[in-house]
């Protein structure tokens, strides 16, 4: 129970840290800092010309945000898959001191050499 | 922290590439060695890479009225040591440079140095100092995530100040300006990233205790306690 409360508190902390700026600074434009840095260079060094351009640039901000979403989706998918497989591995591992001993051996997969599985 | 394509003078771009390259190559070898020597940690390796992949795609609003993204490199640095993240972080940056026109090939060296080299090492150092001082694992992870994130953005600000010193106030003036853009914005995001890292690490101690033991992060008795809990 306490464990779940801590989880909820941590998740709330993350959400608040992101949501509060939006609430406190309603007038903010929330442009990207990367873009702000580029703009700062252009204003302090107006004669600087970028000497290389990307081979491919998303056609519009919509396409760009879609590609960013794709990146997040791939990452979240792999993360979820890894956690899921690890969880199943643990479920099928007998809970005994022997498990820990096996897992601590220098070689041998903890999941496959952990002895009899149910 | 992505310096845009072409926005570093050629010799700066070349120098940062030369500086970052050995770390990234060493990191690639560290990844290969990790997979060969401890194949059972492959899933965690994937998880660490994926975590960076997700976090660096998401731009979050901050108190300064601008938005920026976390880096997520602290977790992998704690789990697998910083060299592994030098490689994984660079893969993420390459993906963004090629497909999103975010960052760039000419600035890949500088961006890799800040996000994939300095960030992970700063995070790992914070983790080691915290746990050496007797702090629990999760406090160490929190420190690692925050510091990896902040150090990355401070590095970017300094790299830009070196390349574009202020015509009047020089390097220091430019450093102040770029730190003003990056560092302050990043503080709440670094804290949010810290809490997120703690959430993920708690999940990992639940589902991957033996793997974490193999990596030397938790002691067997602690792992057993977590399994029984």
């Amino acid at each position: 129970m306490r464990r779940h409360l801590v989880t909820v508190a941590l998740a709330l902390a993350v959400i608040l840290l992101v949501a509060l700026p939006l609430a406190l600074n309603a007038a903010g434009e929330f442009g990207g800092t990367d873009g702000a840095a580029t703009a700062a260079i252009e204003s302090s060094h107006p004669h600087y010309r970028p000497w290389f351009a990307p081979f491919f640039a998303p056609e519009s901000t919509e396409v760009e945000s879609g590609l960013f979403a794709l990146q997040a989706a791939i990452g979240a998918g792999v993360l979820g898959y890894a956690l899921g497989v690890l969880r199943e591995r643990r479920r099928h591992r007998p809970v005994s001191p022997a498990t820990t001993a096996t897992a601590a051996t220098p070689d041998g997969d903890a999941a496959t050499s952990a002895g009899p599985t149910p | 922290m992505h310096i845009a394509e072409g926005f570093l003078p050629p010799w700066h771009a070349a120098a940062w590439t030369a500086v970052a390259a050995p770390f990234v190559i060493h990191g690639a070898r560290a990844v290969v060695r990790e997979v060969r020597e401890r194949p059972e940690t492959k899933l965690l390796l994937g998880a660490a890479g994926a975590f960076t992949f997700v976090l660096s795609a998401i731009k979050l609003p901050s108190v300064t009225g601008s938005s920026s993204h976390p880096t997520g490199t602290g977790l992998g640095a704690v789990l697998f040591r910083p060299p592994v993240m030098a490689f994984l972080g660079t893969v993420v940056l390459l993906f963004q440079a090629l497909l999103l026109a975010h960052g760039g090939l000419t600035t890949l060296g500088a961006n890799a140095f800040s996000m994939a080299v300095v960030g992970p090492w700063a995070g790992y150092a914070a983790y080691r100092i915290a746990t050496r001082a007797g702090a629990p694992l999760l406090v160490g992870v929190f420190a690692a995530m925050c510091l990896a994130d902040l150090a990355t953005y401070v590095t970017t600000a300094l790299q830009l100040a070196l390349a574009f010193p202020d015509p009047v106030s020089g390097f220091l003036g430019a450093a102040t300006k770029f730190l003003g853009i990056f560092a302050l914005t990043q503080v709440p995001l670094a804290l949010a990233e810290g809490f997120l890292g703690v959430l993920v690490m708690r999940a990992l101690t639940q589902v991957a205790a033996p793997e974490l033991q193999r990596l030397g992060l938790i002691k067997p008795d602690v792992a057993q306690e977590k399994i029984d809990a």
Side-chain angles (χ1 to χ4, degrees), chain B residues 26 54-55 58 60 66 88 142 170 175 181 210 218-219 224:
Chain B
H26 176 237
V54 182
L55 286 194
I58 301 172
L60 301 167
S66 50
L88 295 181
F142 181 82
I181 292 173
I218 51 177
K219 292 188 188 73
Q224 200 55 48

Side-chain angles (χ1 to χ4, degrees), chain A residues 62-117:
Chain A
E62 282 79 4
V63 176
E64 190 186 0
S65 63
L67 285 168
F68 270 108
L70 180 69
Q71 186 192 332
I74 294 171
V78 173
L79 187 61
Y81 172 80
L83 286 175
V85 174
L86 285 166
R87 181 167 182 272
E88 284 307 296
R89 237 190 221 179
R90 175 187 167 267
R91 267 164 49 118
H92 295 292
R93 193 188 288 133
V95 178
S96 70
T99 316
T100 351
T102 320
T105 52
D107 50 16
D109 192 329
T112 53
S113 61
T117 42

